[in-house]
Amino acid sequence: MSLLTKAKLLKRINSGDTGQIFVDPLLSDDQIGAVSLDLRLGCDFLVSVPSRWPSIEIQGDALPSGPDFFFQEARRDIGEEFLIHPSQTVLATSLEYVGLPLDVYADVISRSSYHRLGISMSSMFQPGFRGCISLEIFNHSNVPVCLVTGSRLVQVRFFQTDNDEEYQTDGPRRKYIGNVRPTISRAASDHDLPSLREISQQTKR
Amino acid sequence: MTPAVNLHILAAEFTQLSRSAFFEPAFQEFSAKTAEVILHVLQNAKKYPEEVVRQFQELTWNILQFVSGSRSNDAPHETQYVLRKALKEWVSEDALVSSAALNGFEFFVNLADFWEFVDHVIDGYDVDGYSPLVVRIGSPAAFRHRPVFCVPLFHELGHFVDHNYKISEASVLLNLGPTPDGISAEQWQNLNVQHRMEHFADLFAACYCGQATNQSLFAIAPNHGDSPTHPATDRRMKVVDDFLAGMPNPMVDLLQEALKARKQEPLKVRFVEPSVECFNDVLTCKIGSVEELYGIFLSSWGYLHTQLADRSAPWITLDADASTIEKTVNDLTGKSIRNYEIVERWKNVTSD
């Protein structure tokens, strides 16, 4: 497995062939760095809010206390500010719609400039991924931070794998493919949960 | 719930709206000025006849629906962006495109002019030249993120353009034909105006969305016959078919003549269909021109209905239902439009 450096990134980003790393829109070529690609903060948000329910339950998303009841939509225009409060979790996405080829996966971390403000996120995306990259942003600091939609919030490192991996068809169908705005957690649809529930109930009998 | 009490409520609503977030900042000014004129009417209510106050508050309720539906969190932004572009080709002044998020399955355009009423009827209030052109369009709230399903809004925009330039009315002056037996001349004239308004709106929409216009019409009103307000669906579709195929059609010719008489551009195809083969790979379409921006509605409409029928795209798994298919296509379409807008605005600011 190898990290894609600038020369390879320049060859593969939006090359138009099946091995391309698709990025749309790529507003500025200087987003491509020595070992990473800067991505921008998108315009749609899901903001964590308290609700009448005591906790988020993931055992069955049809229940009233599923994740849907703890997040609220917000939209901004590009260039507008978005305030994230201390200890607040916000779901956002990259401005860019990204498509990874079958032999590349990606690590996403917040850029150092934002890390220093207490803003952090990290994630990874599987080979074959399609969509606006999900950004789960948390404010670790004790002051609110104003982010600007369209600003370069995260950097992505791309790694070429030894083999092609199929995102869509291997294993259970991926939950977040083709998303263009932040999506509530679908942890409740993890296929192991019914088995685990049964184990727990067996133990109790 | 007297008009006066309602006006107090409306003043508070518009004051709050003036502090809300809109994609178009002009709505904040609009809300603030509307709140101001409401307060003026309340403070001077005794000067105005009761009927004026009643009519004013009815217009204001109507406006509230559209302004509140235009807030950033509620507006169908991508569709509105394209509608604004289309409208700019017909009206030279900047127009506010506002939307009401409706609970039902309906599309309409609201043609009453609030600020014209204020200027002419609310004596003692100086509008000081403030008279924005406001296009008020209603669409289902559930279609906020579903631009493909908003094709009927181009038809509604056609009604706005018609009303603005009185095209259908002009066409009746040009050619009406003899009044048939059994109805009055006035009824015959009204019937023709109403029907020609629908034909014009269909043709207007076809300029931008091509056959998606007819297909959405057929989806909404498949077998409707003639009514006092609408021609039969099959007649409407024939007019659009002929227009798009470049075939002679008397209704098309008549409306083109009326446009010419009103010194307006002719109806013409303004779209180019971009390829959406990229949707098979769940990738956005890189729209290359404003013609392709209009054309993506037709391309996406065709792609969506093909996939709903034959499920041939590689990303459609066995367990994918119709809602998964339409969401994916609508999301890819909306994001493609949004990307075009973002690139356009970025280039406007960063190019030399």
Side-chain angles (χ1 to χ4, degrees), chain B residues 81-211:
Chain B
Y81 165 71
V82 185
L83 290 173
R84 268 200 303 276
K85 270 207 179 306
L87 186 64
K88 257 195 148 60
E89 294 175 352
W90 294 86
V91 299
S92 54
E93 54 192 295
D94 280 333
L96 286 176
V97 177
S98 65
S99 46
L102 310 171
N103 289 328
F105 179 67
E106 53 178 317
F107 300 85
F108 64 82
V109 64
N110 184 288
L111 302 174
D113 197 325
F114 177 78
W115 284 99
E116 198 177 307
F117 179 90
V118 170
D119 194 17
H120 291 136
V121 179
I122 304 296
D123 292 333
Y125 182 83
D126 181 11
V127 299
D128 195 22
Y130 185 74
S131 184
L133 187 67
V134 180
V135 181
R136 291 171 284 190
I137 293 175
S139 59
F143 287 1
R144 184 159 59 92
H145 293 307
R146 293 178 163 93
V148 181
F149 296 162
C150 289
V151 163
L153 287 179
F154 285 88
H155 171 99
E156 301 304 328
L157 193 65
H159 280 312
F160 181 89
V161 171
D162 187 344
H163 173 78
N164 212 41
Y165 297 115
K166 313 269 185 271
I167 306 299
S168 297
E169 289 175 29
S171 76
V172 161
L173 294 173
L174 288 171
N175 186 332
L176 182 54
T179 307
D181 294 333
I183 63 172
S184 69
E186 190 184 343
Q187 284 172 319
W188 176 238
Q189 181 166 324
N190 285 343
L191 180 73
N192 273 274
V193 169
Q194 291 293 322
H195 280 205
R196 291 177 195 190
M197 279 166 54
E198 295 305 321
H199 284 306
F200 180 83
D202 289 339
L203 289 168
F204 182 94
C207 293
Y208 296 96
C209 301
Q211 280 292 353

Side-chain angles (χ1 to χ4, degrees), chain A residues 14 20 22-25 27 40 43 73-78 95 97 99 130 132 168 173 178 180-181, chain B residues 23 72-73 75 77-78 144-145 281-284 286 315 317 331-332 335 338-339 342-343 345-346:
Chain A
N14 294 334
Q20 72 169 336
F22 182 88
V23 181
D24 181 28
L27 294 179
R40 301 172 185 274
C43 300
E73 263 189 66
R75 296 193 94 182
R76 296 288 182 274
D77 199 1
I78 186 153
L95 188 74
Y97 189 97
R130 298 286 188 270
C132 293
Q168 291 184 46
R173 184 171 182 275
V180 299
R181 63 186 66 83
Chain B
F23 282 117
S72 307
N73 285 358
H77 175 78
E78 290 77 14
R144 184 159 59 92
H145 293 307
D281 202 10
V282 200
L283 295 177
T284 49
K286 292 190 182 181
W315 53 270
T317 55
D331 280 349
L332 287 172
K335 185 57 178 160
R338 195 81 203 269
N339 284 353
I342 288 167
V343 170
R345 292 169 72 182
W346 179 263

Side-chain angles (χ1 to χ4, degrees), chain A residues 14 23-32 37-41 78 95-96 149-152, chain B residues 338-347 350:
Chain A
N14 294 334
V23 181
D24 181 28
L26 184 63
L27 294 179
S28 179
D29 287 339
D30 67 9
Q31 286 174 241
I32 304 171
L37 171 72
D38 291 344
L39 291 184
R40 301 172 185 274
L41 179 63
I78 186 153
L95 188 74
E96 297 85 351
T149 57
S151 62
R152 302 184 198 195
Chain B
R338 195 81 203 269
N339 284 353
Y340 180 89
E341 182 204 358
I342 288 167
V343 170
E344 179 188 62
R345 292 169 72 182
W346 179 263
K347 281 182 179 167
T350 59

